[in-house]
Amino acid sequence: MDTKYIFVTGGVVSSLGKGIISASLAALLKARGFRVTIQKFDPYINIDPGTLNPYEHGECYVTEDGHEADLDLGHYERFTNIRTSRANNVTTGRIYQSVIDKERHGDYLGKTVQIVPHVTDEIKRAVRALGSTGGYDFVITEIGGTVGDIESLPFLEAVRQMRWELGQNALCIHLTYVPYIAAAKELKTKPTQHSVKQLQELGIQPDVLVLRTEKNIGADMRGKIARFCNVAPDAVVQSIDVDSIYKVPMKMHEQHLDEIVMRKMGVPVQGEPDMAPWSAFLDKLDNATETLNIGLVGKYVELQDAYKSINESLFHAATYAGRRVKVRYIHSEKLRDDNADEQLSGLDGIIIAPGFGQRGIDGKFAALRWCRAHDVPTFGICLGMQCMVIEYARDVLGLADANSTEMDTTTPHNVIDLMEEQKSITNMGGTMRLGAYDCELAPDSIAARAYGKTRISERHRHRFEFNNAYRDDLEKAGMRCVGVNPATGLVEVVEVPALRWFVGTQYHPEYSSTVLAPSPLFGSFVQAAIDYSKNNAPKAEN
Ligand code: GLN
């Protein structure tokens, strides 16, 4: 069949969950046997979110092909189990960069280069390129921002043109908000009407409306919205608050969102999507009663989106293990040896988070000292792994001033150092060691047992690395380097076998955990935390 293009726009307010709706629809279509992918358009000028502070934009997600991407791509992968790539995340900056490159190259010789048609053509090319190169049945394109933003206008103009050019092979789903006014005890449709009008003024008639709401929207009110907005009554769907984002695909299917979209696009509707493995996951979630208390030590704890993929990976692993995970966020800037007991006791497992720079680093060392002393399952990720190595070198090897050259360029014991190929790099954007790399694991390691194999591939995002000059000394002192990149010899995984579960990974296992294929290493960590909670830990009061 021809590739079908679905555009998802949002109105009224931001943060309505366009990414979750897009991912849920993709999960349903995939479960019907279609080849699906999801693309995110971000209307900011940055080339990618790699240089953005997590406070601005939440976590930076990394694709296998080494693109630093919007965190919504993480949702897409977690919901669909389909890998995304550089082509799945396009920003205004990237569009302008290629238009300007073409202009300098002379591709538009003699012409005035304009938003319409040059920028809009480039946007359209990015949508179609994904459809044709991937051989997809459906390409779902989520337009970031809210209708009415100046920044989104070129994207919406491209959507208008594509709907015109593609006819039935294009469709627009508009997500809006229906607020509940408590004092009047009423749901209000006016913001939705205004938002659809704004879209219509741009020449886009939505085919399907998804209404985000806290209360059930009755058939009458949906009918009213349908009438005001020129949308078929059965194509007005509600997205009511649920206790887990992973329940949204089921909620969408109950209201036939997948069928509505297929019918409107001329795709025959046969049978039902196979959501059995997904339902099994949700059953586990609903039946999990016991709590698992995990600590996350990091400096962005005020903003949970900063650790989105770690949270989701923990959630996947705990759910499959029949536990409800409760994460205690511990601010690394406020953690010291003298309050570690108070802040960390009662936890079943502790994660030392990734990060950049000096701020909060001493709290990570204090946490690690406490974790080793109490033999709590401990998982260091990226900077967390580097901190494990530094703390071990300081407190076990006795190299008191051991450090990473990221924190102290003059340290005499640079147990973590800038990678050789990083030394000549001056540009900050997209220049880290990014994307999936192979790792060979020692067969008798915790990591190899977790993955069930010794050759793995996981995603990276860092400039600094374990300094192999210290490998022998650290190994003699009890820290094993159990995972190594076969091509470069870079150490990717460390473990301390004398402790029950003390594992650090230079890579980010959290990027590859999905509902249907949860991360094996998070699974192993969660199991260690459960065993520890049964046998050893004093229970935390909740
Ligand atoms: N700041 C460290 C580095 O660049 C770790 C990065 C991370 O935790 N993602 O190597």
Side-chain angles (χ1 to χ4, degrees), residues 353-357 381-384 386 406-407 416 419 432 461-465 506 508 511:
F356 294 83
I381 301 178
C382 205
L383 180 63
Q386 297 175 354
E406 179 179 8
M407 317 306 160
I416 304 292
M419 277 181 277
M432 282 188 250
R461 181 173 187 249
H462 58 112
R463 289 186 204 281
F464 295 81
E465 59 156 320
Q506 183 59 77
H508 292 261
Y511 290 144

Side-chain angles (χ1 to χ4, degrees), residues 2-216:
D2 294 341
T3 304
K4 310 281 179 190
Y5 295 89
I6 299 170
F7 299 97
V8 181
T9 56
V12 185
V13 287
S14 57
S15 304
L16 289 180
K18 282 195 301 269
I20 302 294
I21 295 296
S22 304
S24 298
L25 176 59
L28 292 170
L29 292 170
K30 185 179 178 219
R32 285 183 173 277
F34 293 109
R35 290 177 53 82
V36 190
T37 191
I38 321 179
Q39 182 177 46
K40 173 86 191 271
F41 278 155
D42 276 314
Y44 48 72
I45 309 286
N46 304 59
I47 299 292
D48 60 49
T51 56
L52 285 175
N53 184 323
Y55 291 118
E56 294 271 330
H57 207 66
E59 162 190 282
C60 177
Y61 188 73
V62 178
T63 58
E64 279 187 345
D65 66 344
H67 177 62
E68 295 179 289
D70 183 81
L71 57 74
D72 268 321
L73 268 74
H75 287 309
Y76 304 164
E77 291 203 12
R78 289 187 283 271
F79 275 68
T80 62
N81 213 19
I82 298 168
R83 295 305 181 216
T84 55
S85 74
R86 182 173 303 273
N88 293 76
N89 192 191
V90 177
T91 66
T92 294
R94 261 190 51 209
I95 295 288
Y96 273 79
Q97 190 179 47
S98 52
V99 169
I100 291 168
D101 285 349
K102 284 182 183 171
E103 187 274 332
R104 292 289 82 183
H105 186 247
D107 295 6
Y108 312 118
L109 272 188
K111 295 266 180 266
T112 307
V113 182
Q114 294 177 300
I115 294 189
V116 184
H118 302 98
V119 167
T120 46
D121 279 354
E122 200 61 31
I123 294 170
K124 282 158 50 178
R125 203 192 49 73
V127 180
R128 286 182 191 266
L130 186 59
S132 54
T133 52
Y136 293 106
D137 300 317
F138 290 93
V139 174
I140 301 176
T141 301
E142 178 192 343
I143 314 288
T146 308
V147 172
D149 296 347
I150 292 175
E151 286 91 342
S152 328
L153 283 174
F155 289 110
L156 293 170
E157 169 58 15
V159 172
R160 186 193 68 78
Q161 293 179 21
M162 285 193 81
R163 295 201 61 218
W164 182 247
E165 291 160 16
L166 290 164
Q168 213 187 11
N169 288 337
L171 175 131
C172 174
I173 298 177
H174 188 54
L175 179 63
T176 72
Y177 182 50
V178 177
Y180 179 74
I181 309 292
K185 295 199 177 55
E186 262 186 288
L187 287 160
K188 291 293 180 189
T189 66
K190 199 70 85 186
T192 295
Q193 296 177 39
H194 283 303
S195 169
V196 172
K197 278 230 163 62
Q198 251 180 325
L199 204 53
Q200 288 166 339
E201 277 167 20
L202 298 171
I204 300 172
Q205 170 60 51
D207 302 283
V208 179
L209 291 179
V210 177
L211 311 173
R212 183 69 196 271
T213 176
E214 287 146 49
K215 304 261 179 207
N216 185 52

Side-chain angles (χ1 to χ4, degrees), residues 253-270:
H253 181 57
E254 281 166 20
Q255 300 172 84
H256 314 290
L257 180 65
D258 45 336
E259 289 165 43
I260 295 166
V261 163
M262 289 166 70
R263 257 190 288 111
K264 285 191 181 291
M265 302 191 92
V267 179
V269 179
Q270 286 153 352

Side-chain angles (χ1 to χ4, degrees), residues 364-384:
K364 289 186 173 171
F365 298 137
L368 284 163
R369 263 189 297 275
W370 190 92
C371 289
R372 283 197 304 108
H374 293 80
D375 199 4
V376 184
T378 309
F379 194 177
I381 301 178
C382 205
L383 180 63

